[in-house]
Amino acid sequence: FMKKLIIILVTTLTLFACSSDKTTTISRVVDGDTFDVKYGSGDIDRIRLLGVDTPETYSKNKPDEYEGITNIECLDEWGDKATTYAIDILANNAVVLTSDPLTEERDYYDRLLSYIEIEGKDFSAMLLENGYARVYTESKISRTDSYLILEENAKKNKLGLWGCPTLPVNID
């Protein structure tokens, strides 16, 4: 009996140790889809959220990058709102990082490519559902189909950036 108990205990601790490697804390929100995490070891890593693209906050947004939205001022505003949303949800909170078997581990800028789950919810999906992001179709991931459904629903309901007026408003 004691031998079985020890085996169960060691197995449970091993599984816990393996799964806790993916649990970390968001130490800084760079923008709506880029974050710094701090591991238990004290190491910091930059994360690029898989599957989505929020409007830029540190560089210029491009017309039509968001399927027909040419109002750059509106995209700039939604870039700031996506960042604020990410801060409100993620900053200083524990998250689970999950990789995707269809993509590389790191991008061109050496950012770790990962999904982020907070309290069991997929943060990429949350961004899409609320209109803070578009599906990033430029790279292959396993969640594209489900993400495209969320994006289409946000577009249909003109949520978030999908409610941007087609043409910039002239202010005289």
Side-chain angles (χ1 to χ4, degrees):
F1 172 76
M2 193 62 152
K3 200 173 194 179
K4 279 186 180 180
L5 183 63
I6 290 172
I7 290 171
I8 290 170
L9 184 61
V10 168
T11 304
T12 304
L13 289 173
T14 303
L15 287 172
F16 178 75
C18 290
S19 66
S20 69
D21 287 348
K22 293 183 177 184
T23 301
T24 186
T25 302
I26 300 290
S27 59
R28 178 174 176 241
V29 173
V30 176
D31 62 23
D33 55 32
T34 308
F35 315 98
D36 289 343
V37 294
K38 188 172 186 177
Y39 298 109
S41 64
D43 291 341
I44 293 176
D45 203 356
R46 175 117 335 145
I47 307 297
R48 174 59 171 86
L49 197 56
L50 276 171
V52 297
D53 184 33
T54 60
E56 300 302 327
T57 55
Y58 293 103
S59 60
K60 291 187 183 283
N61 286 295
K62 299 175 193 105
D64 292 323
E65 184 177 2
Y66 290 80
E67 292 183 38
I69 299 175
T70 56
N71 187 332
I72 300 302
E73 279 184 39
C74 187
L75 284 176
D76 291 346
E77 187 178 312
W78 281 99
D80 292 338
K81 287 181 179 183
T83 301
T84 300
Y85 181 73
I87 290 168
D88 290 346
I89 303 288
L90 299 175
N92 301 311
N93 284 319
V95 297
V96 176
L97 303 178
T98 307
S99 60
D100 191 301
L102 299 181
T103 194
E104 299 294 320
E105 181 180 339
R106 294 195 175 266
D107 70 3
Y108 176 81
Y109 302 103
D110 198 38
R111 299 176 296 189
L112 181 65
L113 299 171
S114 181
Y115 298 107
I116 291 178
E117 289 184 21
I118 180 151
E119 297 177 1
K121 295 178 192 158
D122 177 349
F123 188 67
S124 294
M126 294 167 67
L127 288 168
L128 291 166
E129 287 169 335
N130 292 291
Y132 290 109
R134 70 175 177 94
V135 176
Y136 188 77
T137 55
E138 290 87 336
S139 65
K140 190 172 175 140
I141 61 162
S142 60
R143 299 182 187 182
T144 298
D145 291 343
S146 61
Y147 284 0
L148 285 170
I149 292 167
L150 296 173
E151 180 188 278
E152 193 54 43
N153 190 52
K155 282 182 188 174
K156 185 175 73 178
N157 292 300
K158 297 191 180 303
L159 296 175
L161 65 89
W162 304 113
C164 285
T166 304
L167 298 172
V169 177
N170 240 349
I171 302 172
D172 290 321

